[in-house]
Amino acid sequence: MPTVEELYRNYGILADATETAGQHKDAYQVILDGVKGGAKEKRLAAQFIPKFFKHFPELADSAINAQLDLCEDEDVSIRRQAIKELPQFATGDNLPRVADILTQLLQSDDSAEFNLVNNALLSIFKMDAKGTLGGLFSQILQGEDIVRERAIKFLSTKLKTLPEEVLTKEVEEFILAESKKVLEDVTGEEFVLFMKILSGLKSLQTVSGRQQLVELVAEQADLEQTFNPSDPDCVDRLLQCTRQAVPLFSKNVHSTKFVTYFCEHVLPNLSALTTPVEGLDIQLEVLKLLAEMSSFCGDMEKLESNLKKLFDKLLEYMPLPPEEAENGENAGGEEPKLQFSYVECLLYSFHQLGRKLPDFLTAKLNAEKLKDFKIRLQYFARGLQVYIRQLRLALQGKTGEALKTEEVSVVEIDLFHIPPSYKSTVTLSWKPVQKADANQKRTSEDTTSSSPPKKASAGPKRDARQIYNPPSGKYSSNLGSFSYGKLGSLEKLCPITVVPLGVGGKCKLSTFSEGHIVLSPIFVCNDLFLTAHQLVFEYRQPI
């Protein structure tokens, strides 16, 4: 067992020999034996062994094993020194082995040591990315659970920090190939991390790359199997996979396979769904995912059948108005509960898929069913407007996102057309609103229609427009007593202005200023639709 003095003397021999150091094998062997000494000898060996490693290829295994012994020493300072020097052993065929050793060392609970391992891995990544990945994936596939977990997290956080010259196309193809092996048996959390890794690869940013990822997710979701709504793991796997797929869909990467599966297998079992996640509204979560996917659905084989399933589910959440007794009160006692979030998702999905079969409501339904649907739609629309007013009052003086319930009204108006229209483009309430360029002028149609924007009129500005006096006559005289039944009523209404939009004009629900509300055409006044004008009222008494 060499002493400190002997270690220094043999170090001097090798240092003086420079390029001929390989001729002094005995001196290097003394340094290797230093790992069997005390703390001082070990610290010196941890520095000297890697310094002359390249001169003794025949002692490579012995040198790496000696350094590995130091990486597992009880003295944390010795371990740190040994780990810091490990990248110097990463030459030629030794690199995958060093990467494998460093990956195992990721299980360290010492923060300084853990950071040293991360830095060492990154440094050998820049020497040989493919070889380093080989060591990492070897431990992910065969290592202990803690090593597997930390190796996956390392890839998910560090890969994106590497420069393009390191992550070449060949390297990214290797990552994809190895990831597919791992995805054959992963947990939900691991799957999410691997999708994060793969979706960040430059070679998979193309349309064909995104399509590959969608197919990978579909395979993971196992869309060919029979759906079991009472199995929480089955439901959770489907939701996890769908959440990963949604950001990948676009006009060129279609969601058809997922939308079809949801319509055929999930919607009919919506009420039977179970989830291991406490407090999660699993039904609403499913409907939100379906709504987000429906915008990118391509040609569907059983479109009419699936559209009918979607329509039937929509009717379940759009009740008929309650029957009124002779005194105008609700004969049934209780008002139907309106589930606005559920209906928003289903109505949006139906509106998106209905574009592919525009005559569904007219040619595929008989007159009685269509009439029933419009009655339900009308009742829900009235309830929605009351809800919006109550919500606005509750949010007065508070900061936060503007209400985005207008979009539901836009879809409702589309479906009230004869025949029903599917032209409007809306944004789901939980999705961020796309902000328009401040310098770009838009007409009211631009926010709801997919048609090209119209040029601004050269006529007088809006502020200069002549304001009409309130109309009088048969219908306007009854406005003050207009009632919504149990949904609420507008009391003490005072007509302010009438903004003409032209005969048959259409408008969106909006607020001109605090205390004022605009009734959309979908409102019913004495059983007549207000399609010629927007009536602006001031309400002075909360509902």
Side-chain angles (χ1 to χ4, degrees):
M1 184 182 305
T3 63
V4 171
E5 290 76 14
E6 290 175 318
L7 288 173
Y8 272 117
R9 184 171 61 252
N10 284 279
Y11 172 85
I13 293 171
L14 294 173
D16 292 339
T18 59
E19 295 302 320
T20 60
Q23 299 175 10
H24 302 277
K25 185 176 177 181
D26 292 341
Y28 191 61
Q29 186 62 57
V30 171
I31 291 175
L32 292 180
D33 292 339
V35 300
K36 301 173 184 177
K40 292 180 180 180
E41 288 80 9
K42 288 180 180 179
R43 270 193 286 272
L44 288 175
Q47 299 174 60
F48 296 167
I49 292 173
K51 187 172 182 63
F52 302 105
F53 172 75
K54 65 180 180 179
H55 297 291
F56 302 95
E58 70 278 12
L59 294 176
D61 287 343
S62 298
I64 292 174
N65 289 333
Q67 194 76 4
L68 183 57
D69 288 341
L70 296 175
C71 290
E72 297 172 345
D73 196 85
E74 294 180 359
D75 189 327
V76 67
S77 64
I78 294 173
R79 291 202 308 270
R80 290 175 184 174
Q81 182 64 48
I83 291 170
K84 183 180 178 182
E85 304 295 343
L86 267 178
Q88 296 190 54
F89 295 88
T91 57
D93 295 338
N94 296 316
L95 189 140
R97 184 181 175 188
V98 173
D100 189 284
I101 293 169
L102 285 169
T103 304
Q104 294 180 58
L105 292 172
L106 284 171
Q107 63 187 298
S108 173
D109 292 324
D110 180 85
S111 59
E113 192 173 320
F114 182 77
N115 289 334
L116 282 171
V117 174
N118 275 267
N119 292 335
L121 275 170
L122 286 173
S123 67
I124 67 171
F125 238 114
K126 295 170 184 177
M127 300 177 195
D128 182 356
K130 198 171 177 180
T132 306
L133 286 165
L136 280 160
F137 275 105
S138 173
Q139 286 299 316
I140 290 172
L141 288 167
Q142 302 170 8
E144 297 179 9
D145 289 344
I146 182 66
V147 175
R148 174 187 172 98
E149 176 189 337
R150 295 193 178 180
I152 293 173
K153 286 184 177 178
F154 174 86
L155 288 175
S156 68
T157 56
K158 303 299 182 181
L159 274 184
K160 60 187 177 184
T161 66
L162 295 172
E164 289 186 15
E165 57 266 24
V166 174
L167 286 180
T168 61
K169 184 179 180 181
E170 182 184 359
V171 170
E172 291 192 344
E173 288 174 353
F174 181 78
I175 294 172
L176 178 60
E178 292 298 305
S179 296
K180 286 180 178 179
K181 296 177 186 176
V182 179
L183 289 174
E184 293 176 5
D185 183 18
V186 289
T187 65
E189 184 181 356
E190 290 173 345
F191 174 68
V192 171
L193 288 174
F194 266 101
M195 286 308 299
K196 179 182 177 183
I197 293 167
L198 295 176
S199 59
L201 299 180
K202 187 178 179 180
S203 61
L204 295 179
Q205 301 296 322
T206 61
V207 171
S208 60
R210 293 295 183 189
Q211 188 62 54
Q212 278 190 73
L213 291 178
V214 168
E215 290 169 2
L216 198 63
V217 176
E219 185 179 335
Q220 191 69 26
D222 199 4
L223 298 181
E224 304 301 324
Q225 72 162 359
T226 303
F227 181 66
N228 183 2
S230 60
D231 181 0
D233 291 335
C234 178
V235 175
D236 188 55
R237 182 174 65 250
L238 177 63
L239 293 190
Q240 286 272 24
C241 292
T242 307
R243 289 190 192 104
Q244 298 307 309
V246 166
L248 302 172
F249 297 135
S250 67
K251 63 180 181 180
N252 295 316
V253 181
H254 294 159
S255 59
T256 312
K257 186 178 288 188
F258 281 85
V259 173
T260 300
Y261 190 84
F262 269 60
C263 289
E264 293 180 356
H265 301 284
V266 183
L267 278 183
N269 297 294
L270 191 64
S271 59
L273 295 178
T274 55
T275 175
V277 183
E278 187 177 352
L280 176 68
D281 187 340
I282 187 66
Q283 296 181 39
L284 180 58
E285 186 70 13
V286 164
L287 294 179
K288 280 185 173 183
L289 289 171
L290 175 59
E292 291 185 45
M293 293 189 294
S294 63
S295 304
F296 305 111
C297 184
D299 296 333
M300 188 182 289
E301 289 184 9
K302 301 176 182 178
L303 177 59
E304 184 179 337
S305 170
N306 289 330
L307 201 55
K308 186 177 186 306
K309 289 185 176 72
L310 187 55
F311 181 72
D312 291 342
K313 185 59 63 175
L314 174 61
L315 292 184
E316 288 183 25
Y317 293 97
M318 295 187 71
L320 288 166
E323 295 183 5
E324 292 187 358
E326 292 183 0
N327 60 1
E329 295 292 329
N330 181 4
E334 288 187 9
E335 286 289 330
K337 185 178 180 181
L338 302 179
Q339 301 192 54
F340 298 102
S341 297
Y342 284 46
V343 173
E344 178 192 6
C345 298
L346 288 164
L347 200 58
Y348 182 89
S349 301
F350 179 75
H351 190 258
Q352 295 297 314
L353 297 185
R355 294 174 177 178
K356 302 179 183 299
L357 192 63
D359 64 344
F360 176 81
L361 287 176
T362 52
K364 308 301 178 182
L365 295 182
N366 59 41
E368 194 62 34
K369 285 188 177 180
L370 181 58
K371 180 182 177 182
D372 173 83
F373 174 60
K374 290 200 171 184
I375 291 173
R376 293 171 187 266
L377 193 62
Q378 174 182 310
Y379 177 70
F380 185 84
R382 290 162 58 191
L384 178 64
Q385 306 303 345
V386 173
Y387 170 72
I388 290 171
R389 292 201 311 279
Q390 292 173 334
L391 202 55
R392 287 188 189 280
L393 287 173
L395 294 177
Q396 277 184 1
K398 298 180 182 179
T399 59
E401 272 195 54
L403 293 174
K404 292 190 281 187
T405 46
E406 298 177 1
E407 308 291 4
V408 181
S409 298
V410 174
V411 175
E412 289 171 339
I413 293 169
D414 252 11
L415 297 179
F416 262 116
H417 280 263
I418 302 176
S421 169
Y422 300 91
K423 294 181 180 179
S424 295
T425 301
V426 298
T427 302
L428 291 163
S429 64
W430 63 90
K431 304 294 285 183
V433 177
Q434 298 284 344
K435 292 186 178 182
D437 188 344
N439 297 322
Q440 182 182 7
K441 294 184 179 180
R442 292 182 169 222
T443 58
S444 60
E445 288 85 1
D446 289 338
T447 60
T448 57
S449 174
S450 57
S451 59
K454 299 179 181 179
K455 293 184 178 180
S457 171
K461 294 183 179 179
R462 180 175 180 178
D463 293 341
R465 183 171 54 191
Q466 183 179 358
I467 301 299
Y468 280 41
N469 289 323
S472 59
K474 178 180 178 181
Y475 300 116
S476 59
S477 62
N478 294 324
L479 286 172
S481 60
F482 178 59
S483 173
Y484 294 90
K486 288 293 181 179
L487 289 171
S489 60
L490 297 173
E491 299 182 14
K492 299 183 180 179
L493 298 180
C494 175
I496 297 177
T497 60
V498 177
V499 182
L501 293 180
V503 177
K506 300 176 181 64
C507 56
K508 294 202 319 177
L509 177 74
S510 60
T511 299
F512 279 17
S513 62
E514 286 202 16
H516 296 76
I517 190 166
V518 180
L519 297 182
S520 76
I522 209 162
F523 264 75
V524 179
C525 180
N526 293 338
D527 298 323
L528 293 176
F529 289 107
L530 308 177
T531 55
H533 301 83
Q534 270 185 318
L535 300 184
V536 184
F537 295 99
E538 178 182 10
Y539 52 90
R540 298 179 179 175
Q541 179 173 323
I543 295 172

